[in-house]
Amino acid sequence: MTYTIAEPCVDVLDQSCVAICPVDCIHFDEGVDRILYIDPNECIDCGACEPECPVNAIFPEESVPTEWAGYTTINALWFTDKAAARAAVDAAKPG
């Protein structure tokens, strides 16, 4: 299991979760990305990030609300194809 950052983070980019993460698995490219991404290969499933999110955008993988389920794939995709992940975010929530 890993954690996923979902749609409430889009265009918010609050970094409280980044500051608390003990393994630095939350990433984004400043000025480019509209959302933060959790690396599923680095996440240790500690859950420290979840209560820190001011917009309730972080969920355990199995608890992501149905309407945001695609963000689990988008989070993982960013670490192999940033352009595709960004396009998927734009498609999911046009800015």
Side-chain angles (χ1 to χ4, degrees):
M1 181 193 76
T2 188
Y3 279 75
T4 294
I5 298 177
E7 189 168 293
C9 182
V10 175
D11 298 326
V12 174
L13 296 171
D14 183 275
Q15 297 176 42
S16 300
C17 58
V18 175
I20 198 73
C21 180
V23 295
D24 298 324
C25 72
I26 303 170
H27 306 276
F28 74 109
D29 288 338
E30 192 167 346
V32 179
D33 288 308
R34 298 176 59 208
I35 189 171
L36 305 176
Y37 301 92
I38 295 177
D39 187 333
N41 295 315
E42 294 178 356
C43 181
I44 59 170
D45 310 323
C46 70
C49 58
E50 187 177 7
E52 293 300 313
C53 181
V55 294
N56 299 316
I58 302 174
F59 302 90
E61 185 176 4
E62 73 279 357
S63 298
V64 176
T66 305
E67 67 269 25
W68 299 327
Y71 284 89
T72 299
T73 302
I74 293 170
N75 272 248
L77 179 61
W78 190 84
F79 296 93
T80 60
D81 188 343
K82 290 181 180 183
R86 291 175 182 139
V89 168
D90 290 343
K93 185 170 183 181

